[in-house]
Amino acid sequence: MQQDRFEADYLLETPIDVDRAAEIISGEQSSGTFVAIPGETPELKERSAARVVALDVTERDVPGPSLASQDGPVPGQRVTRARLTLSWPLATIGPSLPNLMATVAGNLFELKCVSGLKILDIRLPDVFATAYPGPRFGIEGTRRLAGVASRPLIGTIIKPSVGLDAQDTAVLVSQLCEAGIDFIKDDELQSDGPACPFDARVAAVMAVIERHADRTGQKPMFAFNLTGDLDQMRRRHDTLLAHGATCLMASLNSVGLVGMIELGRFSQLPIHAHRNGWGYLSRHPLLGWSYVAWQKLWRLAGADHMHVNGLSNKFSETDESVIASAKACLTPLFPDKPCTVMPVFSSGQTARQAHGTFAALGSTDLIMTAGGGVMAHPDGVAAGVRSLREAWAAAVDGIPLADHARTHPELGRALEVAA
């Protein structure tokens, strides 16, 4: 790709001539209007307009449309689907993530000629790597702070999501520390409410974690949810630093791109990026974003961990999509600045998912967060943590899960309840 341009790939569905639809889209998102106007010269278009780099029809004469328009459904209407690649000159926006989003994901999805549009991927010139910090800690820094050299980080989520006060939370964290957990996180619904104030929760939890670290030399990583406006996030971040915390969490769709950029610039802690709300951006197969494209923005902005769902999850996403998302997080963004981050597997994860996850991903650079998979083990929390570690050890060593369970009772018991 040219270093003076940026590109985006789309899955396009249209009821009109596909070449005309591509022309309308490229004009809408660059120099054009719906009618020719003075000043929109051929020279200007050549210099500044978006270009159709590729347009490959994948399906013709498909019953449609996928999305409604103001005219309503047209009986018997047929649509065409194609893969469209557009290119824009960098000179129109500069290396700006907010304006990149406005360009590649602006007034496109609601065009009449568009009955389906999904962003599949984006490609950025190297100047974006200079303009944005990217992950400050990433995989290496996360492993160093958590004290886990090579295996996956085994983690869990504080549940109930809400209802526990600061001291209740600290009691649960104490149990998890004693169980040998690597990583704990706030639920995204737990923030700074009167029932469990952020400052009180941090003080109570970090007192427990520090005592455990002093006694054992191991300091579990706790991702505190500091989601809020910019001033709140700055203050909460400083509170975490003062108490010796080693991770923070932010909800990407809540703080927005600019909020995440600013958080990435001032944070001195790894950023655990939660994607709650992802479904409204992605669930329809012909509307919104693919994760492969979307996660690039947040990695550049400063995320160190990115949620990717999990195999056999409770949501609508397929296993193939989950693995594609995780592989994207481990794929370098730029030759000299990889910006690789820890994919976070969650949602109904147990010892049974370890083999499939490792076989498909081919890496142990991940965080597996298991709620019931840890907390609901019939022999207790410590057995739940050990069962997940045993499952991963078997997966990495190529030992069938059932065979390993015969000599590792915690794993065997976990498989009995996770059938």
Side-chain angles (χ1 to χ4, degrees):
M1 192 190 73
Q2 296 174 261
Q3 288 298 307
D4 61 347
R5 301 188 73 84
F6 58 96
E7 295 181 352
D9 300 330
Y10 301 88
L11 175 60
L12 166 66
E13 180 187 282
T14 181
I16 70 170
D17 176 76
V18 70
D19 292 286
R20 176 59 181 150
E23 180 184 355
I24 291 171
I25 292 169
S26 62
E28 175 67 27
Q29 289 309 106
S30 58
S31 66
T33 66
F34 64 96
V35 293
I37 60 172
E40 192 180 5
T41 63
E43 292 78 16
L44 183 146
K45 285 186 174 183
E46 177 62 26
R47 182 176 69 250
S48 299
R51 297 175 187 168
V52 177
V53 175
L55 183 63
D56 300 314
V57 173
T58 57
E59 295 179 90
R60 293 189 185 275
D61 201 31
V62 179
S66 294
L67 304 175
S69 71
Q70 68 179 14
D71 298 326
V74 178
Q77 188 176 53
R78 316 294 281 188
V79 297
T80 301
R81 293 176 183 162
R83 186 183 175 103
L84 167 67
T85 299
L86 296 181
S87 166
W88 293 264
L90 181 64
T92 60
I93 66 166
S96 166
L97 285 178
N99 288 299
L100 171 78
M101 182 176 281
T103 301
V104 303
N107 296 331
L108 301 176
F109 307 101
E110 59 265 48
L111 288 169
K112 279 186 178 181
C113 70
V114 169
S115 60
L117 194 70
K118 176 159 269 186
I119 303 173
L120 301 177
D121 204 355
I122 54 176
R123 287 173 295 281
L124 306 177
D126 294 348
V127 67
F128 275 87
T130 303
Y132 290 95
R136 295 187 185 274
F137 293 85
I139 296 166
E140 181 180 351
T142 297
R143 287 193 175 283
R144 173 174 51 81
L145 289 171
V148 178
S150 58
R151 60 173 174 78
L153 273 68
I154 302 302
T156 194
I157 310 97
I158 295 296
K159 299 286 185 178
S161 305
V162 292
L164 300 180
D165 64 18
Q167 288 304 318
D168 292 333
T169 304
V171 169
L172 181 54
V173 169
S174 179
Q175 296 172 8
L176 291 166
C177 288
E178 292 300 321
I181 202 81
D182 303 315
F183 179 87
I184 312 167
K185 62 177 284 292
D186 275 336
D187 188 87
E188 66 273 15
L189 300 178
Q190 183 63 275
S191 54
D192 191 20
C196 190
F198 183 87
D199 290 0
R201 185 166 76 255
V202 172
V205 167
M206 287 310 302
V208 167
I209 290 176
E210 292 291 5
R211 286 196 298 270
H212 178 79
D214 290 343
R215 188 172 65 255
T216 67
Q218 290 297 117
K219 186 174 181 176
M221 179 175 278
F222 193 112
F224 292 93
N225 181 22
L226 54 57
T227 300
D229 63 34
L230 282 176
D231 288 342
Q232 289 172 328
M233 291 197 294
R234 283 183 183 276
R235 185 189 63 75
R236 292 168 187 165
H237 166 269
D238 292 347
T239 297
L240 293 177
L241 283 182
H243 284 86
T246 56
C247 194
L248 62 85
M249 186 179 92
S251 294
L252 298 178
N253 289 317
S254 298
V255 304
L257 187 54
V258 171
M260 186 62 185
I261 290 168
E262 291 305 307
L263 179 59
R265 284 175 174 155
F266 68 70
S267 179
Q268 298 178 50
L269 297 172
I271 299 173
H272 186 86
H274 202 295
R275 71 178 194 176
N276 49 297
W278 168 241
Y280 63 70
L281 296 172
S282 64
R283 187 167 184 180
H284 195 289
L286 276 154
L287 181 64
W289 289 79
S290 80
Y291 193 83
V292 170
W294 190 76
Q295 53 86 33
K296 291 181 177 180
L297 304 176
W298 306 105
R299 286 164 61 186
L300 258 181
D304 296 284
H305 315 153
M306 291 281 296
H307 276 241
V308 298
N309 207 344
L311 300 192
S312 304
N313 60 79
K314 65 185 177 184
F315 299 118
S316 63
E317 190 171 4
T318 65
D319 289 353
E320 292 76 14
S321 174
V322 171
I323 294 299
S325 297
K327 286 182 175 179
C329 292
L330 298 174
T331 301
L333 285 183
F334 304 100
D336 297 326
K337 191 172 183 177
C339 296
T340 51
V341 300
M342 278 276 200
V344 181
F345 287 76
S346 61
S347 175
Q349 300 303 283
T350 70
R352 289 192 176 277
Q353 277 89 354
H355 277 70
T357 302
F358 182 68
L361 186 63
S363 175
T364 58
D365 286 333
L366 61 96
I367 301 172
M368 174 173 274
T369 57
V374 168
M375 305 300 294
H377 193 285
D379 296 330
V381 176
V385 173
R386 286 195 293 272
S387 73
L388 284 165
R389 287 189 181 160
E390 290 162 0
W392 272 97
V396 172
D397 291 341
I399 303 171
L401 192 62
D403 291 352
H404 203 60
R406 292 191 188 99
T407 55
H408 294 80
E410 294 92 351
L411 177 58
R413 290 280 278 157
L415 297 183
E416 291 175 8
V417 297

